[in-house]
Amino acid sequence: MKAIRVLVPAAGSIALGALLLPGTALADTTVSPSTTPVGGTVVLTATTCNPNSGDALFRVTGPDRDQNVRSTTAAAGGGLSAELFTAGFTLGTYTVAATCGDGTPDGSTTFTVTPIGGAAAGGRDGNDGVGTLATGATLLATALGGALIMGRRRRHAATAATL
């Protein structure tokens, strides 16, 4: 009975991490750089979109935006890309979701608009997935660590109760 109380939260955390990790790891939309000052330019890239299938559509949403950016420009590494000028954007994090010309989604990512001279903040800039794997490992380690701590506390409480 006591083991079930510890294992259920750990199993739930592991399952949640397993569900979230693949979606993040397989996202093929990138923004480079992941942070830009107001008035800067970011390059949006839908890496798996085939230029022969039509335009890629990037939907940019955030604190003061809900706009579409259409691209017909072939990206150097494959896919389609577009430049987005951030003049007039409010400071904050924006989400970019791409859809290929054939209607298939290409994933989503974020970028952050900072003050001019501001510090860089999070977002995905087309890295090799190391950050995603580190996040998944952190979720797993946290879940297992929490389960171990809960188990020790319950054993300690049971020992104290018998004394």
Side-chain angles (χ1 to χ4, degrees), residues 44-134:
L44 315 173
T45 305
T47 59
T48 62
C49 289
N50 182 348
N52 296 329
S53 297
D55 304 350
L57 185 65
F58 298 95
R59 182 172 180 157
V60 179
T61 56
D64 67 342
R65 285 294 142 182
D66 189 357
Q67 75 181 68
N68 293 322
V69 178
R70 187 170 298 278
S71 171
T72 58
T73 305
L80 292 166
S81 66
E83 289 188 353
L84 178 64
F85 186 54
T86 62
F89 277 53
T90 298
L91 302 180
T93 301
Y94 293 81
T95 300
V96 178
T99 304
C100 299
D102 60 4
T104 59
D106 192 65
S108 65
T109 190
T110 61
F111 71 94
T112 303
V113 175
T114 60
I116 295 175
R124 183 161 173 232
D125 61 352
N127 62 23
D128 58 3
V130 173
T132 301
L133 292 177

